[in-house]
């Protein structure tokens, strides 16, 4: 996708407004009206988290593509800041914030749970979820938006170290965070795992995981998970959609602005 209006330069890429590949098939399978509706954007990793949860659980839902930068009323009626994902469930309930939405899906008790049954392991999952949101996700954007080579190098080391800390906290056999099956922490992390290869690889030379490592095992398990695949578009969609971040263009998004200003993510 190109945006001819951007700086008068017709070669600039911008974000996509329609999923491609496997994600498009999933969108098409979920186009009819349902009690539960998710407002999403095909490129958005926060949306992908909630979307993976729905696919994993097999909860019936309608996927509605919206442009969060145009802020349609159907979105701002749910979240006044106009961020995706947002959901409606039934005639009177709506919610936003990807982690809160994922917890809501857990609490519905439908399909297979992403949380472990015991309170202590669940608390551990919540702790690492918080770590992903406060440390890893901002670290990803900081590196992607950095324009000077020196900063790219130091942010790359920071992100690598932050990921290593998460890997050390994971079950040593894996392949997922808690062991054999995909869980809450994996789904929280999955959209950025996908984007490490598809976005940070081409734009910042992020290396593919070293074969035989625990990290490699985890990445492969996440990338091959059925629900992750079903919500992932073709590579070109991500390359195009993230060029704005990689060039740190003005007015890219609330996330990009928060990172540039050293604030916490919106
Ligand atoms: N903390 C939010 C972040 C959601 C978010 O930033 N979504 C982006 C798309 S990836 C968005 O809606 N951006 C619109 C904007 O920047 O105005 C969550 O976890 O749901």
């Amino acid at each position: 996708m190109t945006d001819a209006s951007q700086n008068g330069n017709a070669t600039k890429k911008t974000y996509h407004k329609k999923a491609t590949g496997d994600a498009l098939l999933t969108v098409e399978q979920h186009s009819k009206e349902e009690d539960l509706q998710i407002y999403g954007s095909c490129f958005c990793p926060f949306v992908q988290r909630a979307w993976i949860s729905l696919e994993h659980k097999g909860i019936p839902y309608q996927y509605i593509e919206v442009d969060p930068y145009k802020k349609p009323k159907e979105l701002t009626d749910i979240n006044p800041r106009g961020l995706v994902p947002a959901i409606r469930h039934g005639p009177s309930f709506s919610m936003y914030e990807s982690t809160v939405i994922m917890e809501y899906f857990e609490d519905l008790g439908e399909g297979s749970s992403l949380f472990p049954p015991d309170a202590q392991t669940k608390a551990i999952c919540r702790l690492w979820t918080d770590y992903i949101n406060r440390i890893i996700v901002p670290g990803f954007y900081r590196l992607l938006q950095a324009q000077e080579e020196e900063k790219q190098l130091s942010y790359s080391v920071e992100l690598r170290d932050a990921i290593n800390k998460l890997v050390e906290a994971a079950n040593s056999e894996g392949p997922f965070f808690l062991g054999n099956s995909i869980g809450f922490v994996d789904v929280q992390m999955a959209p950025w795992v996908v984007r490490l290869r598809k976005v940070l690889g081409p734009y910042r030379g992020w290396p593919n995981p070293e074969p035989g490592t625990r990290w490699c095992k985890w990445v492969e398990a996440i990338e091959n998970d059925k629900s992750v695949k079903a919500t992932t578009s073709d590579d070109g969609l991500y390359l195009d959609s993230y060029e704005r971040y990689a060039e740190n263009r003005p007015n890219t998004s609330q996330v990009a602005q928060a990172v540039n200003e050293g604030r916490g993510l919106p």
Side-chain angles (χ1 to χ4, degrees), residues 43-46 49 68-69 71 81-85 97-99 253-255 266:
F43 55 84
C44 176
F46 301 96
R49 283 174 163 171
Y69 305 113
K71 313 231 172 276
R81 284 194 299 163
L83 300 174
V84 287
E97 275 301 320
S98 57
T99 303
S253 71
Q254 292 183 40
V255 166

Side-chain angles (χ1 to χ4, degrees), residues 35-39 46-62 85-89 93-115 184 187:
D35 208 32
L36 175 62
Q37 299 166 330
I38 179 162
Y39 294 85
F46 301 96
V47 168
Q48 194 179 4
R49 283 174 163 171
W51 198 8
I52 293 168
S53 302
L54 286 173
E55 281 292 311
H56 175 81
K57 290 172 179 296
I59 298 174
Y61 68 93
Q62 180 186 10
I87 58 162
R88 277 196 185 283
H89 197 187
F93 180 78
S94 62
M95 191 44 64
Y96 53 93
E97 275 301 320
S98 57
T99 303
V100 177
I101 290 174
M102 275 184 61
E103 295 221 13
Y104 174 68
F105 294 159
E106 288 301 300
D107 291 341
L108 291 176
E110 282 182 54
S112 51
S113 178
L114 287 165
F115 269 143
F184 203 88
V187 177

